[in-house]
């Protein structure tokens, strides 16, 4: 979607939830994350969350990826899709609908 929609009207951010461990493990995980992002041509903003799972699960109210939060042009929360609700086509259709407004 980050390649499909007008960059002036659409922003996507991906978040890696891979736990950070010791320096050696971090370097390996960083390589794996960058390899995945390169393979998927993820040119959007990508961040690596530093919090342990217990923190983001409590704050973001989901247990495991994938999860998508959708906001409108005015930064108002519209919908959260995770678990069985997550469907890339549903997310894309919702974004298209919001961009028409």
């Amino acid at each position: 979607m980050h390649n499909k929609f007008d960059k002036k009207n659409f922003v996507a951010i991906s978040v890696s939830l891979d736990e950070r461990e010791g320096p050696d493990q971090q370097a390996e995980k960083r390589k794996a994350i960058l390899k995945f992002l390169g393979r998927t041509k993820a040119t959007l903003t990508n961040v690596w969350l530093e919090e342990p799972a217990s923190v983001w699960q409590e704050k973001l109210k989901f247990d495991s990826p994938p999860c998508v939060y959708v906001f409108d042009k005015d930064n108002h929360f519209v919908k959260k899709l995770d678990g069985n609700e997550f469907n890339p086509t549903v997310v894309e259709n919702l974004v298209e609908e919001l961009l028409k407004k």
Side-chain angles (χ1 to χ4, degrees), residues 2-3 14 36-46:
H2 63 277
N3 290 323
S14 75
F36 171 79
L37 294 171
R39 188 174 66 246
T40 58
K41 298 181 173 92
T43 58
L44 63 155
T45 299
N46 302 278

Side-chain angles (χ1 to χ4, degrees), residues 3 11 16 18-19 24 44 51 59 76 80 86 92 95 98:
N3 290 323
V11 175
S16 173
D18 293 290
E19 293 221 20
D24 293 337
L44 63 155
E51 302 290 343
K59 287 183 179 182
H76 295 117
K80 174 183 143 190
F86 175 77
E92 190 168 319
V95 169
L98 290 169

Side-chain angles (χ1 to χ4, degrees), residues 43-56:
T43 58
L44 63 155
T45 299
N46 302 278
V47 296
W48 188 3
L49 192 67
E50 293 185 16
E51 302 290 343
S54 60
V55 173
W56 60 259

Side-chain angles (χ1 to χ4, degrees), residues 19-35:
E19 293 221 20
R20 294 179 183 235
E21 297 167 3
D24 293 337
Q25 293 87 354
Q26 279 188 17
E28 288 301 313
K29 282 194 179 183
R30 185 175 191 281
K31 281 186 205 175
I33 291 166
L34 292 173
K35 184 177 178 181

